[in-house]
Amino acid sequence: MSALLEGVYDGEVTVAEILRHGDFGLGTFNHLDGEMVILDGICYRLRADGTASRAAPTDRSPFAAVTRFHSDFEIAIQTRTGRAEVTEAIDRQITSANLIYAIRITGHFAELHTRTVMAQQPPYPPLTQATEEQAEKVFADVAGTVVGFRTPDFEQGISVAGYHLHFLNADRTGGGHILDFTLKRGDVAVSGASQLHLSLPTSGGFLGAQLSGTDIAERINRAEGPKGGSK
């Protein structure tokens, strides 16, 4: 993530290689050309217009997080519940805030507010600038699946600390990076992990990128939130 902040938007890892490491996850594609959702072992590209389609095995990514999903515990949501209340319910049941958790929410949503960054052309701007032109979309009265992770604070910059969530609708034709949602009813499944395998690029812009700094958390929050604002 810290490399994305610096405008490193090209990677050499293909979708086919990513899928060898897991069946569930998220990320982005080269040039920031769409958000990534991996669900049930299939990789989808979510475009800036809100549409989704199956990614090609040869498509490449500068950032992806993937795991093999196994449900450790589940939470049934029976009444209208907002994003903050859902994440608070998860936080009450996890073993430790220092572990990694994959989050899958399947259900019917009253509303989802999403965004998708538009494809960038070199010379690439930093991520906070690229997201100023992000396309935002509201899905109303829609069924689908939220895919994401709850990542410990100490991994900020490797990934996104806290909750990082993407959405794919039930017929897998639309979605985006989640800014907010209201769940009418559904099931939350959580899959814990205590091991992290990190694969770093060995060529390209990553080698010269500035990957540290006291403002990384603030810049990630600006990039991940609405119109460059806080989450």
Side-chain angles (χ1 to χ4, degrees):
M1 277 300 304
S2 55
L4 289 183
L5 290 176
E6 296 299 313
V8 180
Y9 301 152
D10 290 322
E12 293 301 316
V13 181
T14 66
V15 166
E17 292 169 1
I18 291 169
L19 292 178
R20 284 199 283 270
H21 295 279
D23 57 10
F24 180 94
L26 52 67
T28 188
F29 294 90
N30 278 11
H31 322 300
L32 293 189
D33 188 14
E35 305 282 351
M36 178 188 294
V37 163
I38 298 172
L39 184 61
D40 300 327
I42 300 173
C43 183
Y44 298 89
R45 185 195 296 262
L46 317 179
R47 298 283 190 180
D49 61 0
T51 63
S53 59
R54 192 164 178 167
T58 53
D59 287 342
R60 297 178 184 272
S61 170
F63 167 77
V66 64
T67 189
R68 299 198 182 279
F69 195 95
H70 59 278
S71 181
D72 289 323
F73 67 85
E74 298 184 9
I75 304 170
I77 304 294
Q78 304 293 344
T79 59
R80 189 182 180 99
T81 308
R83 171 181 169 146
E85 290 77 19
V86 171
T87 57
E88 287 168 5
I90 296 170
D91 288 345
R92 287 193 295 269
Q93 291 201 35
I94 60 175
T95 302
S96 169
N98 293 330
L99 300 177
I100 307 166
Y101 299 92
I103 312 295
R104 185 182 67 208
I105 307 171
T106 305
H108 199 99
F109 297 82
E111 185 174 280
L112 288 114
H113 184 192
T114 68
R115 68 98 166 125
T116 303
V117 178
M118 298 180 184
Q120 303 295 306
Q121 300 297 324
Y124 296 129
L127 187 60
T128 51
Q129 182 178 333
T131 54
E132 290 177 356
E133 300 179 357
Q134 64 191 6
E136 296 189 12
K137 182 177 178 64
V138 175
F139 293 87
D141 193 25
V142 62
T145 303
V146 170
V147 170
F149 292 91
R150 186 197 187 284
T151 302
D153 288 346
F154 62 80
E155 288 187 32
Q156 185 76 288
I158 295 176
S159 189
V160 177
Y163 286 88
H164 184 190
L165 308 171
H166 290 183
F167 173 70
L168 186 66
N169 66 7
D171 58 9
R172 304 190 177 188
T173 59
H177 168 96
I178 291 177
L179 300 175
D180 201 4
F181 67 79
T182 301
L183 179 63
K184 294 175 69 174
R185 61 186 178 275
D187 294 302
V188 180
V190 178
S191 173
S194 60
Q195 298 183 35
L196 173 68
H197 172 83
L198 180 62
S199 177
L200 300 175
T202 57
S203 63
F206 178 85
L207 298 184
Q210 174 59 47
L211 304 181
S212 61
T214 58
D215 64 342
I216 283 181
E218 187 271 336
R219 291 166 66 198
I220 288 176
N221 285 338
R222 284 175 54 201
E224 294 296 307
K227 295 297 183 186
S230 298
K231 288 195 229 182

